[in-house]
Amino acid sequence: MELRINDLSVSLGGAPILRHVSLAVEDGAFLALLGPSGGGKSTLLKAVAGLVPLTGGQVLLGGRDVTALPTHRRGAVIVFQDLRLFPHMTAAENVAFPLKMRGVDRRQRLERAEALLERVQLPGCGRRRIDTLSGGQQQRVALARALAAEPALLLLDEPFSSLDEDLREDMRELVLSLHREFAATTILVTHDQREALAMSDQVALLLEGELIQQDTPEAVYGRPVSRRAADYFGGRAYLAGRVEEGTFTSPCLTCPAELPPGRYHMLLRPAAVDLARPGPLALRLTECRFRGADTLTRWVTADGTALDIPLRSPLPWPVGHTLRCWVDLSNAIFYPDEEAKHG
């Protein structure tokens, strides 16, 4: 079911948490709500579900205004970070609970619960108590319980944060598989950039309670709308220069730029730099840090700008080596100098 949020604001204890947030999620789409801790992501999820009051704005599901509706009438289900499973119930009883609330008889709801537990790779675990299950197993029970409610909108609030990396990857694959199977519109709250970019159809970047950008993962990462958005993803440098008569000129390089005259900063990412190919950008290697699968190298440009580039070991150059390398400028991004000052 399509979700649309219009000009939504939330204040808690007099402090603004969300400021005029507007976004849309198409029916059956998977959106990752990305941003640092404390940026308002979980509050936005709770606002959509009706768990926190709005200061202003509107929430629509399937074109219907649900802003004034109580949580149980919205068709949205949240899987919280702390899961909130019932410890006195078995796994099957937990999963069957939404069906019990709808008046489904015990035999039918437990049969459905067992089928859902099998779907989340927990066959035969229905009679086990929650406290006998591992963290990953409890995550699967929570997912099965959410699916038992047949939600029009599935809200996942940092559901993998307590798991180690191997289990996180297993759960990501399971969530995507279930999303494809059940076709519920899904929002995943996460501060893990790779998770957001890899899992979603769209990414909404939320910083300090403001929606900075919503677009495809490729666009949010590759074409950040502002320096503030670009800074969030890290691993970048900026070359300061001027644009005059359609040309950007800096102490490091010159390239075409169809922009109004003025001072700009050009976004430079490691992926745009080809150290093996001769080109116009002079770089000096100043530091190497071995990290196992790769070595993180730090290079400095002629104007002192530092750029970190991960490389496979061993390196062919010693620290202090200078080379001139190629830079892919086909999709160069520029930010006005005033934005750089305030970003």
Side-chain angles (χ1 to χ4, degrees):
M1 187 173 291
E2 181 194 36
L3 169 69
R4 188 170 294 275
I5 299 170
N6 296 328
D7 199 31
L8 186 147
S9 295
V10 173
S11 294
L12 299 175
I17 307 298
L18 296 171
R19 301 176 182 86
H20 306 290
V21 174
S22 296
L23 62 82
V25 189
E26 293 181 2
D27 182 24
F30 193 116
L31 176 123
L33 190 57
L34 176 66
S37 298
K41 304 185 301 299
S42 295
T43 300
L44 181 56
L45 223 60
K46 293 173 184 176
V48 169
L51 296 174
V52 296
L54 307 186
T55 307
Q58 189 181 42
V59 178
L60 294 94
L61 261 177
R64 181 174 65 126
D65 188 346
V66 300
T67 310
L69 292 182
T71 300
H72 68 277
R73 293 182 56 197
R74 295 194 179 199
V77 173
I78 292 188
V79 177
F80 289 99
Q81 184 175 340
D82 59 5
L83 304 182
R84 305 191 184 184
L85 297 171
F86 301 115
H88 63 285
M89 293 183 181
T90 65
E93 288 169 340
N94 266 277
V95 175
F97 186 77
L99 301 174
K100 181 180 180 180
M101 292 297 96
R102 282 162 35 192
V104 177
D105 71 67
R106 179 176 174 79
R107 182 182 62 81
Q108 286 183 311
R109 67 179 184 253
L110 289 178
E111 284 179 358
R112 177 60 175 157
E114 291 289 355
L116 285 169
L117 286 170
E118 186 167 347
R119 182 59 193 86
V120 298
Q121 302 168 6
L122 288 177
C125 291
R127 295 185 179 182
R128 292 180 60 180
R129 289 178 58 87
I130 293 302
D131 57 8
T132 69
L133 300 175
S134 69
Q137 290 172 324
Q138 291 182 22
Q139 288 281 1
R140 294 169 193 270
V141 172
L143 272 175
R145 183 176 67 179
L147 294 170
E150 299 179 354
L153 180 63
L154 179 60
L155 307 173
L156 306 174
D157 188 10
E158 301 261 18
F160 318 132
S161 60
S162 63
L163 305 178
D164 62 38
E165 186 53 39
D166 287 342
L167 278 176
R168 285 174 73 101
E169 187 57 38
D170 289 345
M171 288 301 298
R172 290 169 188 145
E173 293 178 6
L174 176 61
V175 166
L176 286 176
S177 175
L178 293 170
H179 172 70
R180 289 189 289 267
E181 180 178 342
F182 289 87
T185 304
T186 302
I187 299 179
L188 169 71
V189 162
T190 181
H191 61 268
D192 187 313
Q193 297 175 10
R194 291 184 301 171
E195 188 168 270
L197 296 172
M199 293 185 67
S200 60
D201 302 310
Q202 291 241 317
V203 173
L205 179 60
L206 194 70
L207 301 178
E208 297 177 343
E210 297 180 9
L211 183 66
I212 304 302
Q213 184 173 1
Q214 180 189 353
D215 212 321
T216 64
E218 294 82 4
V220 170
Y221 180 82
R223 298 186 297 278
V225 295
S226 65
R227 178 161 174 174
R228 189 179 179 191
D231 285 348
Y232 173 73
F233 286 99
R236 78 285 174 270
Y238 298 96
L239 300 181
R242 288 192 63 86
V243 171
E244 298 288 349
E245 298 180 350
T247 299
F248 172 77
T249 303
S250 78
C252 306
L253 54 77
T254 299
C255 66
E258 295 300 323
L259 295 165
R263 299 194 61 82
Y264 290 85
H265 285 71
M266 187 187 84
L267 175 63
L268 182 64
R269 280 197 169 127
V273 177
D274 187 348
L275 297 173
R277 182 180 175 187
L281 182 63
L283 292 175
R284 180 170 58 89
L285 180 60
T286 62
E287 187 179 346
C288 299
R289 294 205 303 272
F290 178 70
R291 302 191 299 187
D294 63 19
T295 295
L296 186 64
T297 61
R298 172 157 293 183
W299 301 81
V300 177
T301 65
D303 66 354
T305 300
L307 179 66
D308 292 337
I309 302 177
L311 298 171
R312 292 190 179 277
S313 304
L315 300 182
W317 315 284
V319 171
H321 181 76
T322 298
L323 53 76
R324 301 191 72 86
C325 60
W326 181 261
V327 181
D328 180 4
L329 299 172
S330 58
N331 295 300
I333 298 173
F334 300 89
Y335 301 113
D337 190 51
E338 280 304 308
E339 182 177 338
K341 289 178 182 177
H342 300 293

